[in-house]
Amino acid sequence: MRPLISPWAATSLTTAFRSPARPLARTWTCTQCLRTQPAIASKSTFSRTQQQAYEQARLFRQRIFSRRHRKTAITAAVLFVTACAGLAFSERIRYLYIAAERSGRVGAVLALSVNDYRVVLKKSEDPNYDELLKACHKRCAERTLEAMKKNGSIFIKLGQHLTSLNYLLPEEWCDTFIPLQNACPVTGFSKMDEMIRKDTGHSLDDLFADFQREPIGAASLAQVHLATIKETGDRVAVKLQHPSLDDWSQLDLALTRFTFNTLKRFFPEYDLTWLSDEMQVSLPKELDFREEARNAVRAKEYFARSVPNSPLVIPDVLWARRRIVVMEYITGHRVDDLAFLDANGIDRDEVAAALARIFNEMIFGSGAPLHCDPHAGNLAIRLNNSKRRPRNFDIVLYDHGLYRDIPTKLRRSYAHLWLAVIDVDEAKMRHYAYEVAGIGDDEFPIFAAAITGRDFDVVRSDVSTPRNKQEKKNISDALGSGELLEQLVQLLGKVPRIILLILKTNDLTRSLDEGLETRQGPVRSFMILARFAARAVFEESVEGIRGSLLWPPNLWSYGLAFAAYAKIAVKLRVYEVYLSARRRLGLRKGGEGEGGMEALQEMM
């Protein structure tokens, strides 16, 4: 069959209709021909280099676009899109993802730290072992710090608590965790408003005439905003819980428990599971602000009834829900703000004495509630010009979420123990240490050092003297050696939990006393403690009297008990008058702390 047009004619037509400016196109070859006859195509159209590149591209396309790989690529794309949609639209999937992230973060830090310590502890014969161990402490503390910051919530609170355990943890850990004191999260107004709508059915703007969007203070569990009551126009402090706590508190508690249990498994001599056990009990109470409201009302009523002249001020609670509490707005300065105290003629020694009276009342007072989260952030001092100098101040106490009641028997045994410590009666110390916490003779030196914060040699001689640098170094070196630290950890795991909370209160009063740089040192604080302990013992003696006081044996017993208490109370009063006289005469430095133990022993 003849073609419709000859090859010569086709070439002529192509030449005729081609634009003069357009260069001649390269001869076109179909893809199928290139696949079946690559050698011919390469000779006619490509150089050798181009042909090699083409072959590589062809093989790559065959691998990528084979049926099996196409299915894999499509499946991966579908899964990726589904996961993104799930994270964007499914709260459940998003929650599981974040939970896995939080858990993985804790697990990774725990695994790295356990391995790090196991490697270093095997090098105990190395001459540079101490430096290696300190470096290990620092590395593990920094890893843990980053994980705590990222997880936030309860981990911030745990880190803040660990910072105060300087008698238990190496200084590298305590110092590294210091930034957590100011690392508290701040939740945005919109999320807070959403939470309040969910809990009360009203927005914050509905509940208050004016609500400041920015908080005036933030803590690990909550933040505080200023607001104005619509009906009265009074300024109030509104404490709002971070909404994320409802999502993560149970998981975080489980992770904390897992962490300490794992540490116990690998390092059984360093058992800190009592910390997680205490958190399991205390945290649910702290997360219910109705409990805080009840505690605040109870403490306020107790001091108004039992200590009406106390400088303690507890803000009134207007109303509370589980995640919101509205309180009277009372502000002040930090109790250790020395510039504020000096500028307003507030005597530092009187501030220290007031703090000692408040917290000893909570420990030794019959039926008194014990504030179990005492730290400088929960205290404030304000000027009160209605009072005469040097007691022209009020002590404001915040955050009443965690309170405990000390059993009467334990309270009185603890009073006997402290009287024995002040009297330097080691036999009685050992006896009442067993009554208080089941402490045997072998563990007693460590327990005595723990409750007093002093070296045991000082406990047996003069606990009223200020701690010097050498004593602090001795304690630090003893803890750094490892053996004493292990014994202390095991001991704290055995004692009643309420004793640990009492020890925390003792630590606060000691640290504040040092921070205030009082002139007489710890002498006066110990004398105040002795008076409260003696009062508790006196009440015990009176309760032991059966029958009428007119009966001579009963009257005699009562007289002996009262004389023992009055002796201490009068001695304390005489000492305070002596301090007041020195202050009035301008003898403000030196002398007050000298002979402190002798004064205490004389009054006993």
Side-chain angles (χ1 to χ4, degrees):
M1 184 174 180
R2 293 180 63 185
L4 296 177
I5 187 169
S6 67
W8 178 86
T11 304
S12 299
L13 289 172
T14 303
T15 304
F17 287 99
R18 183 183 297 125
S19 171
R22 185 177 180 182
L24 291 174
R26 188 175 56 196
T27 305
W28 177 82
T29 306
C30 72
T31 305
Q32 185 63 30
C33 292
L34 288 174
R35 290 177 179 173
T36 56
Q37 298 178 341
I40 297 174
S42 64
K43 290 178 182 179
S44 60
T45 59
F46 299 131
S47 66
R48 182 178 297 275
T49 303
Q50 291 173 323
Q51 178 63 23
Q52 291 175 349
Y54 170 80
E55 285 297 322
Q56 291 175 358
R58 184 177 64 80
L59 293 174
F60 177 75
R61 286 197 302 272
Q62 285 182 348
R63 288 198 304 270
I64 292 299
F65 295 105
S66 66
R67 178 170 297 181
R68 180 171 62 86
H69 285 90
R70 281 200 303 271
K71 288 183 177 180
T72 302
I74 292 171
T75 302
V78 170
L79 290 176
F80 177 76
V81 172
T82 303
C84 291
L87 289 175
F89 301 107
S90 173
E91 284 297 324
R92 182 62 178 172
I93 295 176
R94 183 173 176 274
Y95 176 86
L96 292 175
Y97 172 79
I98 298 176
E101 186 179 42
R102 295 172 74 88
S103 303
R105 191 175 290 130
V106 172
V109 170
L110 181 61
L112 289 171
S113 299
V114 167
N115 182 68
D116 204 348
Y117 273 110
R118 293 186 72 182
V119 170
V120 171
L121 292 174
K122 291 178 181 179
K123 301 179 181 179
S124 57
E125 302 300 325
D126 192 305
N128 298 319
Y129 175 71
D130 290 341
E131 287 74 14
L132 292 174
L133 186 58
K134 286 180 178 294
C136 181
H137 288 327
K138 188 66 175 177
R139 287 194 302 273
C140 294
E142 288 175 346
R143 290 192 201 107
T144 306
L145 175 67
E146 289 305 312
M148 285 180 165
K149 283 182 176 180
K150 290 178 180 178
N151 278 8
S153 185
I154 294 170
F155 290 97
I156 298 290
K157 187 172 185 65
L158 175 62
Q160 291 172 344
H161 180 55
L162 292 175
T163 305
S164 65
L165 299 180
N166 51 5
Y167 57 88
L168 188 60
L169 295 177
E171 63 180 7
E172 290 80 10
W173 281 86
C174 296
D175 293 345
T176 301
F177 284 175
I178 287 176
L180 291 176
Q181 300 291 349
N182 300 314
C184 297
V186 174
T187 303
F189 173 79
S190 59
K191 291 185 178 180
M192 286 297 192
D193 194 45
E194 180 183 350
M195 179 188 74
I196 296 305
R197 285 179 182 273
K198 181 179 178 181
D199 289 2
T200 67
H202 300 281
S203 70
L204 288 167
D205 290 331
D206 292 336
L207 295 172
F208 303 99
D210 174 51
F211 187 91
Q212 288 190 8
R213 266 51 173 170
E214 295 298 322
I216 60 172
S220 55
L221 304 184
Q223 61 192 48
V224 179
H225 295 256
L226 283 181
T228 304
I229 298 294
K230 282 187 173 182
E231 294 77 12
T232 62
D234 293 336
R235 296 291 279 172
V236 292
V238 182
K239 183 176 179 180
L240 301 171
Q241 189 177 125
H242 295 301
S244 60
L245 287 168
D246 263 13
D247 296 329
W248 305 117
S249 60
Q250 294 303 316
L251 173 64
D252 290 349
L253 282 175
L255 289 173
T256 302
R257 183 169 59 249
F258 170 76
T259 298
F260 287 118
N261 286 337
T262 302
L263 291 175
K264 179 182 178 181
R265 179 179 179 182
F266 285 97
F267 309 107
E269 70 282 358
Y270 203 74
D271 182 6
L272 289 174
T273 53
W274 53 270
L275 272 175
S276 60
D277 292 342
E278 178 57 34
M279 287 188 69
Q280 306 296 319
V281 175
S282 63
L283 191 66
K285 295 179 180 293
E286 292 187 82
L287 293 180
D288 188 345
F289 289 172
R290 294 168 297 187
E291 182 77 11
E292 176 172 357
R294 287 190 288 267
N295 290 336
V297 171
R298 181 186 170 196
K300 190 178 185 72
E301 291 177 349
Y302 174 85
F303 275 88
R305 180 181 63 254
S306 302
V307 199
N309 296 323
S310 172
L312 178 65
V313 173
I314 296 176
D316 288 328
V317 176
L318 279 68
W319 58 274
R321 300 288 187 273
R322 184 174 69 87
R323 296 192 288 182
I324 178 174
V325 59
V326 181
M327 303 167 289
E328 176 187 10
Y329 176 57
I330 301 177
T331 187
H333 294 254
R334 286 179 60 95
V335 293
D336 55 358
D337 186 344
L338 304 184
F340 170 77
L341 300 181
D342 295 343
N344 290 278
I346 299 174
D347 192 274
R348 304 177 189 181
D349 297 86
E350 294 303 325
V351 174
L355 290 168
R357 291 190 184 96
I358 289 168
F359 287 105
N360 279 303
E361 180 67 45
M362 289 184 170
I363 294 173
F364 296 109
S366 179
L370 176 64
H371 188 294
C372 295
D373 192 19
H375 58 79
N378 285 340
L379 290 164
I381 186 167
R382 68 174 185 178
L383 182 66
N384 188 339
N385 288 318
S386 65
K387 299 179 181 179
R388 295 179 59 184
R389 293 188 180 190
R391 300 182 180 90
N392 53 334
F393 61 87
D394 293 323
I395 301 291
V396 186
L397 182 62
Y398 306 112
D399 196 353
H400 305 271
L402 185 58
Y403 271 66
R404 293 289 176 83
D405 290 295
I406 306 175
T408 301
K409 187 176 187 308
L410 179 61
R411 187 193 305 271
R412 290 171 177 172
S413 295
Y414 189 69
H416 279 289
L417 173 62
W418 265 107
L419 291 178
V421 168
I422 294 172
D423 199 28
V424 199
D425 189 333
E426 188 171 338
K428 285 187 176 181
M429 286 189 228
R430 293 178 181 272
H431 171 77
Y432 287 108
Y434 183 80
E435 280 198 7
V436 166
I439 301 300
D441 286 341
D442 293 339
E443 299 169 320
F444 171 73
I446 304 172
F447 180 71
I451 66 170
T452 59
R454 309 300 300 269
D455 185 80
F456 183 58
D457 290 335
V458 177
V459 175
R460 291 190 294 184
S461 59
D462 191 350
V463 293
S464 70
T465 55
R467 291 194 302 177
N468 54 38
K469 292 182 179 180
Q470 184 60 44
E471 183 185 356
K472 293 179 182 179
K473 184 178 184 303
N474 291 341
I475 295 175
S476 179
D477 291 344
L479 291 174
S481 67
E483 182 178 353
L484 178 60
L485 184 60
E486 292 175 9
Q487 295 174 354
L488 179 59
V489 170
Q490 293 173 10
L491 173 68
L492 294 178
K494 297 177 183 178
V495 302
R497 297 291 173 264
I498 189 67
I499 293 296
L500 298 178
L501 297 173
I502 293 174
L503 293 180
K504 188 176 179 182
T505 304
N506 289 342
D507 289 341
L508 169 77
T509 54
R510 278 195 294 268
S511 63
L512 287 176
D513 196 77
E514 292 181 354
L516 288 167
E517 300 178 7
T518 56
R519 294 183 301 276
Q520 76 271 2
V523 177
R524 191 179 184 188
S525 296
F526 274 111
M527 296 180 78
I528 291 171
L529 185 152
R531 184 175 72 81
F532 279 91
R535 188 188 68 182
V537 172
F538 169 69
E539 291 171 351
E540 179 186 30
S541 301
V542 171
E543 287 184 9
I545 298 174
R546 296 291 180 265
S548 173
L549 289 179
L550 297 178
W551 184 250
N554 289 346
L555 184 60
W556 177 254
S557 298
Y558 180 86
L560 290 177
F562 181 78
Y565 169 64
K567 179 182 178 182
I568 296 175
V570 170
K571 288 287 186 180
L572 174 60
R573 182 57 184 159
V574 169
Y575 185 73
E576 290 182 333
V577 170
Y578 163 72
L579 293 178
S580 177
R582 289 185 61 86
R583 183 170 56 245
R584 291 175 183 276
L585 293 173
L587 305 175
R588 305 180 62 85
K589 294 184 179 180
E592 287 93 336
E594 299 174 0
M597 194 59 200
E598 289 79 358
L600 290 172
Q601 289 177 340
E602 286 178 7
M603 77 178 183
M604 298 299 292

